[in-house]
Amino acid sequence: MQNFKFSVPTELIFGREPEAAFKEQLKKRNVKNVLFHYGGGSIKKNGVYDMVSEALKDLGINSFELSGVQPNPRVTLVREGIELCRKNNVDFILAIGGGSVIDSAKGIAAGIAYDGDVWDLYIGKSQMSDLKGPLTPIGTVLTIPAAGSESSPSSVVSNDEGLMKRDIGSELLIPVFSILNPEYTFTLPAYQVACGCSDIMAHMFERYFTKEKHVDVTDRLLEANIRSMLHFSKLAQDFQTDYDIKAEVMWAGTIAHNDMLSTGRVGDWASHQIEHELSAIYDIYHGEGLSIVFPAWMRYCWKEDPARFLQFFRRVFDVDYAGDQALHAINEGITRLENYYTSLGLPIRLSQVKIGEDRLREMADKCVMHRGDAIGNFKHLTADDIYNIYKLAL
């Protein structure tokens, strides 16, 4: 186990009727001018828009709205938000929605404090250490449990110019507070619930497949949370207004990506980067891309550490095996994972989302761009390796 420092600076307010706590969070920070950042009309259907608007009015806070965040948030809107905040002396950013909205808000906060184009930060041309002054603080009201961005240090945005999707990470980007009311997820379509569950699971898979030894405590925390998601994912689709079910999924999504489950270990993260190329070019949902990529990644990488895969499939998917049946056990485990995705209505092959062979090489080459010649920590993957994983996913 590696040395580590861990803290969760986000104040998490979980549960029903969060209006009073939301107002208190803004009041104690003496907010004057706020950017009210969100996606489309869903927050006007589930009551969140009215709750936020009324709270801002009651507190006498000037509000500047910026809507239009897409499922793969675009850097063009981030740039628009940066200019809007600078022009109006915004001192706080409210991200109301899911991970895409929160990631966009984080990009805006970083860009306000940066002299150049904010995209420089995402492609590594500049670093977060190049920012000037403290970042504009961010608060969130979560409506889609998936990305875990409500208490994570990361942000992912897409650029239509060059069809690229890239991320940045820094403790400076962690929201100062997040409101988590499972009732705000009741209106989500079943397929969006599935994509969110896939994203939550992927965050835990990325952490589980580590080369670090003697991390049994976090192994078992990950296993327990993954098994919980295996149980509640389909229930969350079938019982859309069941508070207790939705609460389990929402809390799992936050825990999966606030780095508590990363302590003492180094995760892989190649599958996320491989998927980013898919959603950058084809604009598919991140969660459905992950349900395609992860089984293919497992088939390609299991020989790097068969014992870890066997432990994972035994403890999480109850795959029993004799000592001479390792390959059979791993294949059976991957099949059970694919069956889980299929039960939620998610794709497990590129062909299911109408993606063929024509751009696989391009995506593989772009995946290592700005990252040296390889990605991944569990197994270092070159562009050729990534291409082979895409081929396995066809």
Side-chain angles (χ1 to χ4, degrees):
M1 183 184 297
Q2 294 188 348
N3 296 341
F4 65 87
K5 294 181 180 179
F6 173 68
S7 68
V8 183
T10 307
E11 191 168 348
L12 299 165
I13 301 99
F14 192 104
R16 298 181 173 96
E17 300 178 356
E19 293 82 1
F22 175 69
K23 291 171 71 172
E24 180 61 28
Q25 289 292 325
L26 295 174
K27 186 176 180 180
K28 73 180 184 180
R29 290 180 169 84
N30 197 30
V31 175
K32 302 298 182 185
N33 301 306
V34 68
L35 178 70
F36 184 174
H37 198 34
Y38 59 98
S42 61
I43 68 168
K44 296 183 179 179
K45 296 177 183 177
N46 60 19
V48 182
Y49 180 89
D50 290 339
M51 186 277 284
V52 173
S53 298
E54 291 170 10
L56 295 175
K57 183 178 178 181
D58 289 347
L59 294 171
I61 296 173
N62 297 317
S63 175
F64 303 92
E65 292 191 20
L66 181 63
S67 62
V69 180
Q70 300 176 3
N72 294 301
R74 304 304 201 268
V75 72
T76 49
L77 191 66
V78 171
R79 292 173 180 139
E80 185 178 338
I82 292 166
E83 293 308 310
L84 182 63
C85 289
R86 287 173 174 169
K87 179 180 178 181
N88 294 286
N89 296 314
V90 164
D91 57 358
F92 200 87
I93 299 173
L94 276 177
I96 315 298
S100 295
V101 174
I102 301 170
D103 283 3
S104 182
K106 291 177 179 180
I108 292 169
I112 294 170
Y114 178 61
D115 283 341
D117 179 18
V118 67
W119 186 244
D120 293 347
L121 299 169
Y122 286 89
I123 61 174
K125 186 176 178 180
S126 294
Q127 305 300 318
M128 291 294 290
S129 58
D130 297 324
L131 303 185
K132 297 182 178 179
L135 264 65
T136 306
I138 301 166
T140 87
V141 179
L142 185 66
T143 63
I144 304 174
S149 197
E150 64 273 9
S151 61
S152 83
S154 58
S155 165
V156 182
V157 303
S158 296
N159 192 340
D160 288 335
E161 183 179 341
L163 297 175
M164 301 187 74
K165 187 174 180 180
R166 291 292 184 268
D167 64 281
I168 53 175
S170 169
E171 292 183 357
L172 299 173
L173 298 174
I174 300 175
V176 294
F177 75 81
S178 290
I179 303 292
L180 294 86
N181 179 2
E183 293 173 326
Y184 292 156
T185 72
F186 286 178
T187 60
L188 288 176
Y191 192 72
Q192 198 164 11
V193 171
C195 289
C197 290
S198 174
D199 199 2
I200 293 169
M201 294 288 265
H203 290 155
M204 294 187 282
F205 295 164
E206 297 280 24
R207 290 171 165 87
Y208 195 90
F209 290 100
T210 181
K211 301 301 285 286
E212 193 66 31
K213 305 300 181 184
H214 309 295
V215 286
D216 193 62
V217 169
T218 43
D219 276 354
R220 293 185 183 276
L221 288 171
L222 284 160
E223 292 155 8
N225 278 278
I226 293 168
R227 289 181 68 98
S228 182
M229 284 298 300
L230 289 172
H231 176 70
F232 284 107
S233 298
K234 190 67 171 68
L235 293 174
Q237 286 185 309
D238 294 342
F239 301 94
Q240 295 190 4
T241 59
D242 188 300
Y243 179 90
D244 294 319
I245 292 171
K246 291 301 184 77
E248 299 285 0
V249 173
M250 178 172 270
W251 188 231
T254 299
I255 292 173
H257 207 38
N258 69 3
D259 279 345
M260 179 177 70
L261 303 179
S262 299
T263 49
R265 61 201 295 143
V266 176
D268 183 62
W269 300 105
S271 295
H272 265 71
Q273 292 166 348
I274 293 169
E275 191 292 317
H276 286 167
E277 302 306 322
L278 294 174
S279 48
I281 290 179
Y282 296 99
D283 205 25
I284 63 174
Y285 287 117
H286 183 50
E288 62 185 351
L290 289 167
S291 68
I292 294 167
V293 168
F294 247 107
W297 177 88
M298 288 180 168
R299 285 195 169 92
Y300 194 81
C301 296
W302 71 267
K303 291 181 181 178
E304 191 72 12
D305 189 349
R308 175 143 289 268
F309 276 85
L310 289 169
Q311 173 183 290
F312 175 77
F313 287 127
R314 183 179 68 252
R315 292 183 180 179
V316 175
F317 286 93
D318 299 319
V319 177
D320 290 325
Y321 61 92
D324 60 349
Q325 294 179 322
L327 177 58
H328 172 77
I330 288 169
N331 284 332
E332 174 63 20
I334 295 171
T335 297
R336 293 187 188 186
L337 174 61
E338 290 180 327
N339 290 341
Y340 160 75
Y341 289 134
T342 300
S343 74
L344 300 180
L346 291 167
I348 56 174
R349 296 289 184 271
L350 290 171
S351 57
Q352 292 176 265
V353 290
K354 297 180 170 54
I355 296 176
E357 296 188 50
D358 54 318
R359 304 190 74 169
L360 300 188
R361 185 77 247 179
E362 174 191 350
M363 290 190 293
D365 291 339
K366 286 171 67 176
C367 195
V368 298
M369 192 181 298
H370 311 125
R371 297 178 174 129
D373 60 356
I375 63 169
N377 296 308
F378 182 78
K379 177 178 175 63
H380 295 305
L381 301 173
T382 66
D384 287 342
D385 293 318
I386 297 163
Y387 176 75
N388 289 329
I389 290 172
Y390 284 135
K391 292 277 285 184
L392 283 173
L394 283 171

